Amino acid sequence: MPSEPTGPAPTTGMLARHARAGLSAPICLTWELTYACNLSCVHCLSASGRRDPAELSTAECRGVLDELAAMRVFYINVGGGEPTVRGDFWELLDYAISANIGVKFSTNGVKIDRAAATRLASTDYVDVQISVDGADADVNDAIRGEGSFATAIRAMENLAAAGFADFKISVVVTRHNIDQLDAFAALAQRYRAQLRLTRLRPSGRGASVWSELHPTAAQQQTLYAWLRDHGESVLTGDSFFHLSALGEALPGLNLCGAGRVVCLIDPVGDVYACPFTIAEEFKAGNVRDPGGFPTVWGSAPLFHRLRTQSVGGACTTCSAYDACQGGCMAAKYFTGLPLDGPDPECVRGHGEPALAAVPAGAIPQLSTDHSRRGPVPLTLGRRPDRACDTSPLVGVG
C-alpha cells in the first residue's frame, strides 16, 4: 500500500511547481462514503452522525471507482462518518482493489473484529487508519465519547494479532493531547503501527470547539520541535506546513493543495476543494453531473481559480511566506478570516490580531449537519450524563 511521503519536498521543487498548477488527477482523494457514525466526536470535520438518504448507491460508487481507475488515481482515502457501518463497505473495498486503486480507510475500530482484521491482513493494497485523540481513555474519550478508546485499542490488538503491520494510528493534535506525543509514538510501536498526526481544523463540529482545543502558541513550538526530531518516522499528510515558518521546512509539499492535488467526494457525491472545506463556497460540482468526477476535476471553475490565483495577500510580503504559503485555507475560512489573510495559528503572531478583528457574526455556519443531536459538549474532567449518548455501539446494527 503506498504511504504518505516522509522525505522533504521544498516548495521550489518540481513537484510543488506542478502541484500549484494542478495535476491531471488528484494525488490524494478523500471519499467520505457515509455520514452515518456510531460516535459523535466533538471536532468531527463533517458533522457526521446520521446517514443521508441521498448518499451514493453501490452502483454509483462503482461507477465513480471506474472513473478514478481510468484517471489512474492510484489510491484513495476513505472515511466518513464511519465507513465500515455502510452495508456495502467490503464490496466497495474489494471493487476498488480489483480496479488497482489502493484504499486507506479511517475507522474508529468498531467493526474491526478478529475476522475483519484477518481479512484485511490477507488483502493487498489496503491500509487501515485507527483514529484516537488521546493516549489514554481520559483524554481520548472526552473528545470521541465514552468507551471509544477501548474500542480503538481492541481494533489495534486484532490487527496486530492478524499480522497487519504498519497500520496507522491517526491523532488530531489538540492542546489536551500535545503532551502525549511520546506516548502516542510508544502506542504505535507497541502494535507495530505507524503514527500519523494531523492538524485540528475548525471545520464541521470542530468550529464550535476550536478555540478550546487548538494548540497554544507555545504548544505549536513544542509540536514543531517534536516533528523535526521525529519527522522521518511520523506521517503528517502535510498538515502542519504553517509551522515551517518557525525555521527549517517540515517534510512535505508545504503548500495548500486544495483543488490542485487534493479534493473530497462527500457521501451524496458533492466534490469539495479539500476534506476540510465542506461549504458551498468550496463545492466544485457533483459526481452525478454530466461527465462525472473527471469533468469536475478537470473543468470546475472553482478548481481553475484555485490553480491559477494566489491567495497569499498580505502574507506574500512576509519573509516566511515561501515556507508556509500563507497557511490553511480551511482554517482561515471557518474562523472568519479572509483567504488572503494570515493563518489563524500563524507562528509569526499575525493570526491573533486578525482573529480579534473578525466582526461578530462573520464566522460561517455549517452548511450541512448530520449530527444525531444538538451541540456536543466537551467532557474533559467529567462523565457524560447518559451512556447511550456516547457509546461506541450507538446506531450500529
Side-chain angles (χ1 to χ4, degrees):
M1 175 68 209
S3 61
E4 298 169 72
T6 57
T11 58
T12 54
M14 182 179 296
L15 179 57
R17 288 198 298 273
H18 283 299
R20 288 193 186 96
L23 302 180
S24 60
I27 290 177
C28 181
L29 185 147
T30 297
W31 189 350
E32 294 183 343
L33 284 181
T34 183
Y35 283 121
C37 190
N38 54 300
L39 299 184
S40 295
C41 302
V42 299
H43 58 10
C44 178
L45 64 92
S46 59
S48 288
R50 294 174 287 107
R51 175 182 177 271
D52 193 306
E55 73 180 25
L56 297 174
S57 67
T58 303
E60 287 175 315
C61 290
R62 282 172 169 257
V64 173
L65 288 168
D66 290 339
E67 292 175 345
L68 299 181
M71 295 174 72
R72 299 194 177 186
V73 172
F74 71 96
Y75 93 96
I76 56 176
N77 288 310
V78 170
E82 171 54 44
T84 63
V85 303
R86 183 167 161 147
D88 58 1
F89 171 76
W90 295 102
E91 176 184 346
L92 293 174
L93 178 69
D94 290 341
Y95 191 82
I97 294 169
S98 70
N100 295 317
I101 300 173
V103 177
K104 177 191 292 181
F105 71 91
S106 298
T107 175
N108 56 49
V110 69
K111 291 285 191 176
I112 309 301
D113 56 18
R114 291 183 179 179
T118 300
R119 177 176 182 171
L120 290 166
S122 64
T123 305
D124 291 331
Y125 222 39
V126 65
D127 200 2
V128 185
Q129 191 163 277
I130 306 294
S131 297
V132 293
D133 289 315
D136 55 59
D138 286 342
V139 176
N140 177 85
D141 291 8
I143 304 298
R144 304 185 63 83
E146 187 177 18
S148 58
F149 187 73
T151 298
I153 291 296
R154 184 202 64 172
M156 294 180 203
E157 290 174 345
N158 288 337
L159 288 169
F164 195 124
D166 293 326
F167 67 87
K168 309 300 182 286
I169 297 176
S170 182
V171 178
V172 176
V173 178
T174 71
R175 69 180 56 176
H176 298 296
N177 66 22
I178 203 166
D179 62 348
Q180 296 185 318
L181 294 174
D182 288 336
F184 284 125
L187 188 67
Q189 184 177 23
R190 182 187 313 162
Y191 293 109
R192 293 181 298 152
Q194 189 167 22
L195 179 61
R196 184 178 190 269
L197 302 179
T198 59
R199 182 182 178 183
L200 174 71
R201 267 85 165 195
S203 306
R205 287 197 295 267
S208 63
V209 296
W210 185 80
S211 61
E212 301 173 64
L213 288 184
H214 80 93
T216 65
Q219 289 176 327
Q220 298 270 7
Q221 300 234 13
T222 298
L223 175 61
Y224 172 77
W226 195 89
L227 289 173
R228 289 302 311 160
D229 289 340
H230 299 81
E232 293 304 314
S233 60
V234 177
L235 302 175
T236 65
D238 224 20
S239 280
F240 302 104
F241 62 90
H242 70 294
L243 297 181
S244 292
L246 287 169
E248 186 177 351
L250 295 172
L253 287 175
N254 286 310
L255 58 80
C256 174
R260 295 166 169 170
V261 298
V262 305
C263 71
L264 167 80
I265 301 175
D266 84 348
V268 299
D270 287 331
V271 181
Y272 294 92
C274 96
F276 308 104
T277 56
I278 304 177
E280 285 296 317
E281 289 85 341
F282 300 104
K283 185 165 71 175
N286 189 286
V287 299
R288 288 169 168 148
D289 295 338
F293 177 78
T295 296
V296 177
W297 179 258
S299 304
L302 170 66
F303 288 170
H304 176 73
R305 290 197 302 273
L306 290 172
R307 294 163 188 171
T308 58
Q309 296 177 4
S310 170
V311 293
C315 287
T316 58
T317 63
C318 176
S319 61
Y321 179 71
D322 284 345
C324 77
Q325 297 291 305
C328 174
M329 181 173 71
K332 297 178 191 182
Y333 177 79
F334 287 109
T335 52
L337 297 177
L339 297 188
D340 60 356
D343 189 291
E345 292 182 305
C346 170
V347 296
R348 293 295 182 91
H350 301 303
E352 291 185 13
L355 287 172
V358 173
I363 297 177
Q365 301 300 304
L366 280 175
S367 57
T368 60
D369 189 351
H370 292 81
S371 302
R372 290 196 305 273
R373 51 195 170 90
V376 183
L378 282 170
T379 58
L380 284 167
R382 55 189 174 87
R383 297 179 65 83
D385 293 332
R386 297 185 302 165
C388 62
D389 281 342
T390 52
S391 169
L393 297 178
V394 169
V396 176

